[in-house]
Amino acid sequence: MYLISLNILYTTSKSDGVAKYGLKFISAEDFSYKHLNGAARVDCDHWHDGAGILNHHVAYTLEVEQALQSIDPSISMPYWEYAMDSTLYDDWQDSVIFNDDWFGDNSPGNDLHELNTGRWGDVLVPLGDSYKEWSIAETSSLNPFVNGRGHLRSPWNNNPSRYIGRYNSTYGAAEIDMPTCDIVYECYRSTVLGYMLNCLNGVTHGPVHVKIGGAWEDTDLYTDDDIHFLKSIDRVLVFELLWRTGYTRCPTACDDVDECTCSIPQQYLDSYGAKEILVNSGVWDVHSTILKKFIDSQLLSVLKIIQDPGVVGDMFTSAASFDPIFWPLHGQIERIIGLKRIKLMTDNDILFEEGWSFYNDDNRVLNGVCDWSGISSVDDLTLPNCDFSGAQSCWGHNADDVLEWSNFINNNEIYSNKDFYDFIHPWNEKLPYVYDTYSFSYCDSSTYPFE
């Protein structure tokens, strides 16, 4: 009944669903809206890249579980133990989870990499007409909801197809592996909550998003062998640095015949030059060892590549929650932290500092906040005011920041990050769900002593 009921969330409008199933019902369009609002605002990523990863995704998953229970009260949200699949299968793509009657092909072979067969083959990304009204001044961000094709998608991902996109490669490169027991155990061994959250965001759940989403394009921009290093996931990540800092701009409306790509305005190239743009956006720090050897023409070639990400599969974007395989993905994160918290309560030798803290060691993501409130419109080429000093933190990552979710136990309760972290303790008797196990027995206990 789980997959049948999940499909109902994708094929029923919110108004019809609420009328039939009650106020806990939410639609797949709500999935996209909420995740885009948290992750696709240009000022910073409020849900990932640090302390935001756990609570936002656990609360989000619980909200969807309760929506499913409004259809069938016997349903609980399954979790995908993807490190187990790395152990069970020689090739993770052979996992049963990618069967047509489960979540569908992980990398459809058609030209547009459309998931257009199987249980989810009729699902189309919603149109964004209802989300086009937006105030940059009031939100300090560009509109996070609508791409140039008019779809409810990451505003920089101008995929012409409305089908869910999946590709198990990034521009033809497959340099990232699925998480294995050694990676999961590395995160579990963290002795500080902030370090564990950073680890779980970047090396466990992150690669799964990348491997299923992927990225592709029709043209080959890599004419110079020296810039082939950008034929990787880094191209998407450093593109986002350029985008958040304002140096590349994306179209808000495209005709079907248009190229519909993001680009660096010539005004910026004339005013700042390639190197200054790379430095000011933070891209230089990511690849300084290589870039410092380049002459100006090579630096310009780098910008020409990273000014647009091509087409990116939905799981590798801020619209990831519209892909149904998103929903069983985050249980492993909660189980790893949950096991650590149980051990902390029962084993005096366990060291784990649970004070709320933000930590991010990946310079491919924005470490700061860019204030866009001074930009009058999408056509205004004034650059945002970016603060990388740490003095202004990204909302959603702080202990007292209030989450978007409430009323999980029907008391109209609201949650700060700290409140919700306390709420999801495995021993909280008011928690409306429980995991079947906190065991990682598929990993060799002599090498990975979780228990």
Side-chain angles (χ1 to χ4, degrees):
M1 278 302 295
Y2 165 73
L3 289 168
I4 293 172
S5 297
L6 185 61
N7 192 265
I8 290 173
L9 300 186
Y10 277 79
T11 55
T12 307
S13 70
K14 183 172 183 178
S15 58
D16 288 347
V18 168
K20 185 172 183 178
Y21 300 110
L23 293 176
K24 290 282 188 177
F25 182 92
I26 57 175
S27 71
E29 186 170 318
D30 298 319
F31 301 168
S32 284
Y33 170 83
K34 197 162 281 188
H35 201 270
L36 287 166
N37 193 43
R41 288 185 180 236
V42 73
D43 57 338
C44 62
D45 189 329
H46 300 272
W47 282 25
H48 306 85
D49 307 332
I53 181 65
L54 175 69
N55 286 346
H56 288 90
H57 291 82
V58 173
Y60 203 15
T61 302
L62 177 55
E63 180 182 46
V64 173
E65 178 180 72
Q66 293 190 342
L68 292 167
Q69 289 168 347
S70 73
I71 300 170
D72 183 343
S74 70
I75 292 175
S76 60
M77 181 69 75
Y79 59 90
W80 178 18
E81 197 62 33
Y82 34 84
M84 178 185 283
D85 279 359
S86 295
T87 302
L88 292 176
Y89 301 95
D90 292 334
D91 186 340
W92 65 274
Q93 298 171 92
D94 294 332
S95 171
V96 66
I97 203 169
F98 297 116
N99 287 356
D100 266 359
D101 57 349
W102 282 42
F103 290 96
D105 195 342
N106 78 295
S107 188
N110 54 72
D111 289 344
L112 295 176
H113 304 287
E114 297 171 332
L115 183 63
N116 57 14
T117 61
R119 182 184 294 274
W120 308 100
D122 295 328
V123 170
L124 298 178
V125 171
L127 295 175
D129 295 346
S130 300
Y131 305 93
K132 290 183 177 180
E133 291 296 324
W134 186 260
S135 171
I136 300 173
E138 292 179 6
T139 61
S140 300
S141 172
L142 299 177
N143 188 322
F145 299 120
V146 189
N147 71 1
R149 305 286 185 182
H151 306 161
L152 193 62
R153 257 192 177 120
S154 300
W156 43 263
N157 182 31
N158 291 305
N159 187 345
S161 171
R162 286 183 60 197
Y163 287 98
I164 294 167
R166 293 181 183 171
Y167 185 40
N168 62 357
S169 172
T170 47
Y171 314 109
E175 77 292 343
I176 187 170
D177 295 322
M178 288 288 276
T180 54
C181 286
D182 57 331
I183 296 297
V184 174
Y185 188 64
E186 175 189 342
C187 294
Y188 174 75
R189 291 181 62 222
S190 302
T191 58
V192 176
L193 176 62
Y195 294 170
M196 182 180 281
L197 294 176
N198 178 66
C199 185
L200 293 170
N201 179 69
V203 300
T204 60
H205 115 287
V208 182
H209 279 274
V210 174
K211 292 293 282 187
I212 296 174
W216 60 95
E217 60 192 343
D218 292 331
T219 58
D220 187 1
L221 300 174
Y222 304 91
T223 54
D224 186 339
D225 289 343
D226 290 337
I227 55 178
H228 271 225
F229 70 95
L230 291 169
K231 208 169 189 179
S232 71
I233 66 170
D234 280 9
R235 176 176 164 189
V236 178
L237 298 177
V238 298
F239 158 78
E240 286 200 66
L241 286 177
L242 276 181
W243 174 67
R244 293 190 186 280
T245 53
Y247 287 102
T248 192
R249 300 298 176 99
C250 300
T252 57
C254 306
D255 296 327
D256 289 342
V257 295
D258 286 348
E259 261 192 333
C260 205
T261 57
C262 307
S263 61
I264 298 173
Q266 187 62 44
Q267 175 181 320
Y268 291 164
L269 294 171
D270 294 341
S271 298
Y272 303 106
K275 182 176 180 179
E276 188 171 345
I277 291 174
L278 290 165
V279 171
N280 291 347
S281 64
V283 176
W284 185 274
D285 292 337
V286 179
H287 291 296
S288 60
T289 302
I290 297 172
L291 296 178
K292 67 183 181 182
K293 301 174 184 177
F294 281 9
I295 60 175
D296 287 346
S297 60
Q298 290 173 302
L299 296 178
L300 184 60
S301 295
V302 168
L303 284 180
K304 292 297 185 183
I305 290 176
I306 65 173
Q307 66 182 344
D308 180 77
V311 178
V312 185
D314 294 289
M315 275 288 280
F316 192 12
T317 74
S318 41
S321 59
F322 193 74
D323 190 321
I325 206 169
F326 176 93
W327 294 108
L329 185 60
H330 303 94
Q332 187 188 73
I333 294 175
E334 188 178 8
R335 288 201 323 121
I336 292 170
I337 292 182
L339 176 60
K340 194 78 169 187
R341 300 176 83 180
I342 291 171
K343 297 288 282 185
L344 185 64
M345 299 286 286
T346 59
D347 187 341
N348 292 332
D349 293 329
I350 291 293
L351 299 177
F352 189 51
E353 173 53 57
E354 290 194 275
W356 195 261
S357 60
F358 176 93
Y359 177 73
N360 175 44
D361 62 355
D362 190 346
N363 61 4
R364 297 174 301 176
V365 299
L366 187 73
N367 280 300
V369 177
C370 289
D371 180 1
W372 284 70
S373 61
I375 287 77
S376 61
S377 71
V378 294
D379 299 317
D380 182 356
L381 294 185
T382 304
L383 288 170
N385 180 24
C386 296
D387 182 354
F388 304 122
S389 68
Q392 183 180 10
S393 58
C394 181
W395 180 90
H397 295 264
N398 306 294
D400 295 329
D401 291 345
V402 177
L403 301 180
E404 299 94 317
W405 298 271
S406 61
N407 200 38
F408 284 131
I409 56 176
N410 301 317
N411 287 334
N412 295 316
E413 71 284 357
I414 59 173
Y415 304 94
S416 67
N417 266 321
K418 181 63 173 64
D419 294 335
F420 194 74
Y421 183 71
D422 293 341
F423 176 68
I424 61 173
H425 193 288
W427 286 1
N428 177 19
E429 294 181 355
K430 294 183 179 180
L431 192 64
Y433 62 92
V434 63
Y435 281 95
D436 59 338
T437 178
Y438 285 91
S439 172
F440 294 84
S441 58
Y442 60 87
C443 297
D444 182 350
S445 60
S446 63
T447 306
Y448 311 108
F450 284 96
E451 287 86 28

